[in-house]
């Protein structure tokens, strides 16, 4: 069972890093959240029934952990202009800068909207997003429309 768990974590560590990066600013806070997500995954690993894709379950646990930990205690977040991450060390400077700008914009959204966008960026369809978040597909479609509008206003403030 341990070997299967470690293989799952290795296969999905980029996903866990993305969620950590969306919900924490400093490298230390991201690492703490990463570890907390892994702990929650381990605690629920034996209960995974395989009724949905493994990535669906991982996202559900990762997002719930990130949001629960965020609410649970007052975390002092530090602002940095650059968002270093172990996972993106091979990205060239131009792409890294664009990615950092995107993450800064995404961090301005509320945590529920960030969760939906994280799932959207990972190519989950509305049905899968509904399964992970517990929202209806229609509600997700409406929220995604509103999120797109917010992002358009943020990216093109003159329009």
């Amino acid at each position: 069972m341990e070997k299967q768990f470690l293989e799952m974590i290795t296969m999905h560590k980029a996903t866990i890093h993305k969620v950590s990066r969306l919900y924490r600013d400093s490298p230390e806070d991201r690492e703490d959240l990463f570890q907390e997500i892994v702990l929650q995954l381990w605690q629920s690993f034996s209960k995974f029934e395989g009724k949905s894709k493994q990535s669906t379950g991982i996202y559900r646990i990762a997002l719930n952990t990130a949001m629960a930990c965020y609410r649970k205690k007052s975390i002092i977040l530090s602002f940095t202009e650059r968002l270093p991450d172990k996972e993106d060390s091979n990205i060239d400077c131009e792409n890294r800068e664009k990615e950092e700008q995107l993450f800064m914009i995404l961090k301005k959204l509320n945590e529920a909207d960030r969760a939906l966008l994280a799932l959207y960026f990972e190519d989950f369809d509305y049905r899968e997003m509904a399964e992970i978040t517990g929202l209806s597909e229609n509600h997700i479609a409406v929220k995604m429309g509103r999120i797109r509008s917010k992002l358009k206003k943020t990216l093109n403030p003159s329009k």
Side-chain angles (χ1 to χ4, degrees):
M1 187 163 118
E2 286 181 37
K3 183 180 178 192
Q4 291 172 320
F5 177 76
L6 291 173
E7 288 172 357
M8 178 190 75
I9 295 300
T10 301
M11 195 162 84
H12 296 283
K13 71 179 179 181
T15 296
I16 301 169
H17 275 291
K18 285 178 194 172
V19 171
S20 298
R21 188 172 176 186
L22 274 174
Y23 286 89
R24 298 295 185 273
D25 288 324
S26 74
E28 295 83 11
D29 289 341
R30 286 195 298 266
E31 188 61 34
D32 287 347
L33 180 57
F34 184 94
Q35 291 176 7
E36 182 64 26
I37 291 168
V38 171
L39 174 65
Q40 295 302 319
L41 287 167
W42 173 250
Q43 290 175 342
S44 63
F45 187 68
S46 63
K47 298 172 193 162
F48 185 71
E49 298 172 357
K51 292 180 181 177
S52 61
K53 291 193 298 188
Q54 193 175 54
S55 59
T56 300
I58 290 170
Y59 258 106
R60 179 183 298 130
I61 290 168
L63 292 171
N64 287 336
T65 302
M67 289 189 275
C69 288
Y70 198 79
R71 288 185 202 116
K72 198 184 304 182
K73 57 186 175 185
S74 177
I75 298 172
I76 299 171
L77 301 176
S78 62
F79 176 79
T80 59
E81 289 295 322
R82 298 189 51 85
L83 298 172
D85 195 339
K86 296 175 188 172
E87 286 297 305
D88 63 1
S89 60
N90 294 330
I91 299 174
D92 64 52
C93 288
E94 185 177 324
N95 286 340
R96 186 186 313 257
E97 190 171 310
K98 286 179 184 178
E99 186 176 276
E100 288 173 11
Q101 289 171 349
L102 175 63
F103 271 94
M104 295 305 285
I105 290 168
L106 295 179
K107 284 185 181 216
K108 292 178 183 178
L109 298 173
N110 67 47
E111 57 189 37
D113 291 349
R114 276 185 268 165
L116 290 177
L117 275 177
L119 296 172
Y120 178 79
F121 289 151
E122 292 295 321
D123 294 325
F124 283 97
D125 61 30
Y126 287 177
R127 181 190 52 75
E128 293 168 316
M129 291 167 76
E131 188 178 326
I132 292 169
T133 62
L135 302 172
S136 71
E137 288 182 52
N138 287 340
H139 189 86
I140 289 174
V142 169
K143 287 196 65 75
M144 289 302 294
R146 290 178 184 160
I147 293 168
R148 282 186 201 100
S149 294
K150 281 183 198 176
L151 290 176
K152 283 179 186 177
K153 287 179 185 176
T154 302
L155 296 172
N156 299 315
S158 61
K159 292 184 180 180

